[in-house]
Amino acid sequence: MGRIIVTGAAGFIGSHTTDRLLAEGHAVLGVDNFRTGHRRNLAAALKQPLFSLVEADVSAEGVMDAQVKDFKPDGIIHLAALVSVQESIQDPQLNQLYNVTATERVVAAAVAHGVKRIVFASSAAIYGDTRDLPIAEDSAKKPISPYGDAKLASEVLLLRQTGPGLTVRCHRYFNVFGPRQDPASPYSGVISIFDRRYREGKPVTIYGNGGQTRDFISVHDVVRANVIAATAPRIASGAANICTGKATSLLDIVGIYGARYPAVPPPTFAAARPGDIVHSLGRPERAKAELNFIAQVPVQEGLAELIRVG
Ligand code: UD1
């Protein structure tokens, strides 16, 4: 069994990834500054003897170097980030710190101490507003936010370091959803916001006509991709979409929630958000070819789970 450092372990994707690694018998060191992560997400992990947690900032000088030197991981799953596109626009320097400098620290520590593998949370945001759907990995990369710029810059500086000793996998996540996703901000993932509103008995707001579609992928599939990339023998470095290849509209989602919560008033409609893209859909073939990864959770099933467990 391996030894893995998970940065951003207290976050939405990080905590599920940690749980899964522990269930498979790996030793995990979580690193999180708890800026947007929550200790409650690690309630189960903290009971496991194979789990340890360090409260520290990945972007701070010396932090990753010391942790990697001490823990001697086989791999690092780097998920710590400034996760809000909107916040990256409001505070580009903070975005630079958490989404670029932090990656530099991870790379430097990995190279200095001979870590064999890095898995990085990239994003479909690196493609920007492409109309060339479904999006393949070699599509034009024209990010439209500092967040997208930073994810792309991180990919470049990570993939530059690959060689016989270090395998890097960049996962371009599409719209991830599932339990523990934080609905706190208006710019949180739409499903987390809708889930909270229906639970509270309040109508959701749809920006636009609801016909916009996304490639929604369950966090459990994303976690499987992370664990494969971190632990599978003999994989090559590279970047791949982590998506389902299936489009779901907001009206489809509201239909599922409306049937489950018939007493909640119907959605209200508001003007489309400026800069919002109408359709986003990824091509999933490269992850299949390079990682043998195929998303397995249909959106209906993922939503049923979310409605059940919250
Ligand atoms: C997502 C990512 C973003 C990335 C982009 C790349 C999230 C949270 N954001 O943005 O990081 O840059 O993909 O393609 O995953 N909506 C409503 N009502 C609401 C909230 C949202 O109608 O209360 C609509 C939005 O206007 C949008 C859709 O739902 O049309 C999805 O929004 P959101 O979940 O924020 O994700 P993206 O905009 O796709």
Side-chain angles (χ1 to χ4, degrees):
M1 287 300 123
R3 299 174 66 75
I4 312 283
I5 290 183
V6 178
T7 74
F12 165 46
I13 298 173
S15 62
H16 285 287
T17 300
T18 298
D19 287 346
R20 176 84 183 214
L21 288 166
L22 292 168
E24 293 191 7
H26 301 288
V28 179
L29 171 68
V31 183
D32 205 296
N33 63 0
F34 291 97
R35 181 174 174 271
T36 51
H38 301 285
R39 206 167 282 270
R40 63 172 183 265
N41 290 344
L42 292 170
L46 284 164
K47 294 185 188 132
Q48 303 279 330
L50 284 174
F51 181 64
S52 45
L53 176 66
V54 172
E55 181 167 352
D57 194 320
V58 172
S59 68
E61 191 169 357
V63 164
M64 285 308 288
D65 191 76
Q67 297 307 327
V68 171
K69 190 175 176 193
D70 185 45
F71 189 73
K72 300 180 180 57
D74 303 296
I76 301 173
I77 304 182
H78 177 40
L79 307 174
L82 181 142
V83 295
S84 161
V85 173
Q86 194 56 30
E87 193 176 18
S88 82
I89 296 165
Q90 283 155 4
D91 196 340
Q93 280 176 321
L94 203 64
N95 173 66
Q96 180 72 22
L97 182 67
Y98 288 140
N99 287 343
V100 182
T101 307
T103 309
E104 286 168 348
R105 305 283 194 219
V106 168
V107 171
V111 169
H113 302 291
V115 176
K116 293 186 215 64
R117 202 163 293 185
I118 302 175
V119 181
F120 171 61
S122 185
S123 168
I126 68 167
Y127 297 116
D129 187 3
T130 178
R131 312 211 186 267
D132 187 16
L133 299 177
I135 304 171
E137 285 82 354
D138 53 7
S139 298
K141 286 156 205 78
K142 294 181 185 156
I144 52 171
S145 64
Y147 175 87
D149 292 341
K151 290 293 183 185
L152 186 54
S154 283
E155 280 201 7
V156 171
L157 66 91
L158 278 160
L159 289 168
R160 195 187 285 146
Q161 295 297 335
T162 59
L166 174 62
T167 302
V168 170
R169 291 300 316 182
C170 298
H171 284 343
R172 297 174 184 163
Y173 303 143
F174 278 63
N175 289 66
V176 187
F177 75 99
R180 301 183 197 159
Q181 190 171 29
D182 195 344
S185 132
Y187 297 95
S188 297
V190 64
I191 291 179
S192 69
I193 295 173
F194 282 10
D195 188 75
R196 174 184 270 186
R197 297 286 294 179
Y198 276 99
R199 269 170 211 285
E200 292 173 350
K202 296 176 187 156
V204 300
T205 302
I206 293 178
Y207 301 116
N209 64 11
Q212 65 262 56
T213 60
R214 293 293 185 270
D215 189 328
F216 290 107
I217 181 163
S218 162
V219 69
H220 302 303
D221 277 326
V222 165
V223 162
R224 225 162 29 77
N226 288 347
V227 174
I228 290 170
T231 63
R234 289 180 299 281
I235 53 173
S237 292
N241 294 337
I242 300 299
C243 63
T244 66
K246 297 192 175 68
T248 305
S249 73
L250 290 195
L251 292 178
D252 293 334
I253 290 168
V254 160
I256 291 170
Y257 271 96
R260 173 66 181 73
Y261 294 94
V264 175
T268 55
F269 288 84
R273 283 177 170 171
D276 200 12
I277 57 175
V278 182
H279 299 294
S280 169
L281 182 66
R283 288 191 70 123
E285 288 84 0
R286 194 190 277 185
K288 163 78 174 92
E290 296 185 352
L291 300 173
N292 200 23
F293 168 77
I294 303 177
Q296 288 171 351
V297 183
V299 169
Q300 296 78 353
E301 227 173 78
L303 289 178
E305 183 213 8
L306 186 59
I307 289 168
R308 205 168 54 242
V309 307

